[in-house]
Amino acid sequence: MTATPRSRTGSRRVFFGWWIVVASAGIQMLQAGLLQQAYGAYVSVLLNEFGWSKTALSLGSSLEPVQSGLLGPIQGWMIDHWGPRRVMRTGMLMFGGGFILFSRIDSLIEFYGVFILMAVGSSLAGFMSITTTLVQWFERRRATAMSLSQTGMSVGGMLVPVVAWSLATYGWRQTAFVSGIIILALGLPLTQVMRTNPEQYGLRPDGAPPDALSPRGNTMVESTGDAITRVDFTPREALHTRAFWLISFGHASALLVVSAVMVHLILYLEQSRGFSLGSAATVVAVLTLVTALGQIAGGFLGDRFAKRKIAALAMFGHSAGLLALAWGDAFAWVVVFTLAHGTAWGMRGPLMQAMRADYFGRRHFGTIMGFSSLVINVGMVSGPLIAGAMADHFGNYEYGFTLLAIFAALGSIFFVFATPPPPPTRHGDGYI
């Protein structure tokens, strides 16, 4: 892709930030469709071929959030100081190359080693880098931009039946190898679109005129009751606020459910509900379609109403959906799960990072988000492990899913109290 931002003297009808949204959606489509949402399909075929336990395969999926959490502060610093394009290009090479190596593994140790490589690459090229970039390019339309970029995840989820068909028709090794080639061929050009911030090109966030935004240091209160701050909190200042920790704990509670569903849904539908691999993959595709609709709605509502209240309500959707999946004894309950969980996931997802940017500003967002990842990835790691270990112990998923649903419902409390922080106290610069 060769689109370039508008120069200081030129003009372009489409604000370049929207091209970044398009590229971001494409990257997240590749990651979700070929790995994150498709991992459950790989779990099914690897379980049949190698006989590894559900816990062992859950550990494989947990390697990504573990390294992402540990890498988070460093990655955030890298993005803030080197820009997203260089970081994402390196990550895409690791991600695609890891898939090619994945097609050659023959042992659990090799699986873990290759998956670590894929996980690091996916993290560098993925969500944190994309979000940090979009935060710089959008302010008033931030939730909308986030939601549109994340529809790439949902479109990727709709590709899971294609991956499942390929696994059944050509085998997992050929599917993994071709996936790696696709990632390199499409992902690397998409990373070239990413730019650090609009100010480098004489632009302002949202494409606003140069005099449309108030100077940094003021706080603009929205009609929703939340605030978009012009203050750039330092990482140290953000860590000393209650809002930082409440958003992080709430986000972690939601990811308990999201991560468990991504890893175990297909296997659960096969083993407990009698679905075929293709039918189970179709449920994943429909779930991601619902998620996409929720993302569009979440972006629209998030730019107009209090994001933390929307997130709090979404937590009950996660909980209700997982309980319906665990205990419902008819196909109708699978439909209820799909609607409740998909809508909640879609509406809540884009708001997490938009809230952080609204509260803590743009300048150090990558580093602040990196520190937050140390907390939120506890949920991403724990969800699949809890569900897998309890399924191995009890012989079913019902108890593990119920426990995760309870944690998600309780997590709504964190968002209720995550009100905007006051400006930090600074001496000598006008803050008291």
Side-chain angles (χ1 to χ4, degrees):
M1 301 180 69
T2 59
T4 57
R6 182 181 60 190
S7 69
R8 285 178 170 80
T9 58
S11 63
R12 197 175 278 271
R13 294 172 60 185
V14 178
F15 175 52
F16 190 78
W18 295 115
W19 292 112
I20 295 177
V21 169
V22 172
S24 299
I27 291 170
Q28 293 185 97
M29 179 190 71
L30 291 174
Q31 294 184 332
L34 298 179
L35 178 62
Q36 294 164 353
Q37 299 281 13
Y39 184 76
Y42 279 101
V43 166
S44 179
V45 296
L46 292 174
L47 186 67
N48 290 332
E49 178 165 337
F50 293 106
W52 299 333
S53 70
K54 297 182 183 71
T55 304
L57 290 168
S58 299
L59 180 60
S61 73
S62 298
L63 291 173
E64 180 177 4
V66 166
Q67 66 77 32
S68 180
L70 296 176
L71 181 66
I74 300 173
Q75 181 180 345
W77 180 88
M78 291 165 60
I79 298 168
D80 284 341
H81 288 77
W82 296 339
R85 188 168 16 171
R86 186 184 304 177
V87 174
M88 294 178 70
R89 186 189 303 126
T90 301
M92 198 64 72
L93 287 169
M94 297 172 66
F95 184 43
F99 247 113
I100 294 173
L101 292 175
F102 175 42
S103 68
R104 310 296 298 173
I105 64 136
D106 287 302
S107 69
L108 189 60
I109 296 299
E110 291 176 345
F111 170 70
Y112 288 154
V114 168
F115 209 87
I116 289 173
L117 177 64
M118 295 165 63
V120 173
S122 177
S123 179
L124 292 176
F127 185 71
M128 181 183 293
S129 299
I130 287 170
T131 300
T132 303
T133 305
L134 292 177
V135 160
Q136 303 300 324
W137 283 83
F138 293 91
E139 192 167 86
R140 290 182 179 273
R141 306 292 302 279
R142 186 171 283 153
T144 298
M146 297 275 189
S147 67
L148 291 176
S149 76
Q150 290 184 24
T151 58
M153 295 183 184
S154 302
V155 174
M158 296 176 204
L159 298 177
V160 172
V162 178
V163 175
W165 170 81
S166 180
L167 291 171
T169 304
Y170 299 107
W172 67 270
R173 294 186 186 277
Q174 291 85 345
T175 301
F177 181 84
V178 173
S179 295
I181 299 299
I182 291 173
I183 289 167
L184 295 175
L186 299 181
L188 285 173
L190 289 173
T191 62
Q192 294 299 107
V193 180
M194 311 307 287
R195 300 290 191 277
T196 301
N197 61 60
E199 285 83 0
Q200 291 181 339
Y201 305 96
L203 302 171
R204 299 302 298 268
D206 303 295
D211 58 350
L213 300 179
S214 60
R216 290 188 185 278
N218 298 326
T219 299
M220 178 184 69
V221 179
E222 297 281 81
S223 60
T224 62
D226 283 348
I228 297 179
T229 183
R230 307 291 184 197
V231 179
D232 289 312
F233 282 65
T234 67
R236 181 185 295 272
E237 289 167 345
L239 287 166
H240 281 83
T241 65
R242 182 182 68 176
F244 173 89
W245 296 102
L246 290 176
I247 296 173
S248 298
F249 287 133
H251 198 170
S253 300
L255 291 184
L256 284 169
V257 174
V258 170
S259 60
V261 167
M262 284 196 297
V263 174
H264 294 287
L265 177 59
I266 289 179
L267 199 59
Y268 167 76
L269 292 175
E270 283 186 302
Q271 295 186 347
S272 299
R273 295 298 186 90
F275 283 55
S276 67
L277 176 60
S279 297
T282 301
V283 172
V284 174
V286 174
L287 172 64
T288 54
L289 173 61
V290 175
T291 302
L293 298 176
Q295 285 165 339
I296 295 171
F300 176 84
L301 296 173
D303 283 333
R304 291 162 176 81
F305 301 97
K307 298 177 181 66
R308 61 188 179 86
K309 295 178 181 179
I310 298 172
L313 289 173
M315 296 299 288
F316 290 102
H318 284 305
S319 179
L322 198 58
L323 289 173
L325 182 69
W327 298 103
D329 57 359
F331 178 75
W333 290 108
V334 177
V335 176
V336 171
F337 156 77
T338 301
L339 294 175
H341 176 68
T343 302
W345 187 6
M347 294 185 68
R348 177 198 53 76
L351 304 183
M352 302 293 92
Q353 313 312 329
M355 286 176 64
R356 290 186 178 93
D358 289 352
Y359 287 10
F360 304 117
R362 298 165 50 207
R363 184 171 301 168
H364 305 289
F365 178 83
T367 305
I368 292 171
M369 184 178 169
F371 280 109
S372 184
S373 71
L374 292 171
V375 178
I376 65 177
N377 281 306
V378 172
M380 197 73 176
V381 171
S382 302
L385 289 176
I386 291 172
M390 294 186 73
D392 285 335
H393 180 74
F394 292 106
N396 61 67
Y397 281 100
E398 281 82 354
Y399 298 109
F401 283 176
T402 299
L403 181 61
L404 296 177
I406 292 172
F407 285 147
L410 294 175
S412 64
I413 298 173
F414 296 121
F415 291 117
V416 170
F417 292 101
T419 54
T425 300
R426 296 170 179 167
H427 300 288
D429 64 356
Y431 293 90
I432 58 173

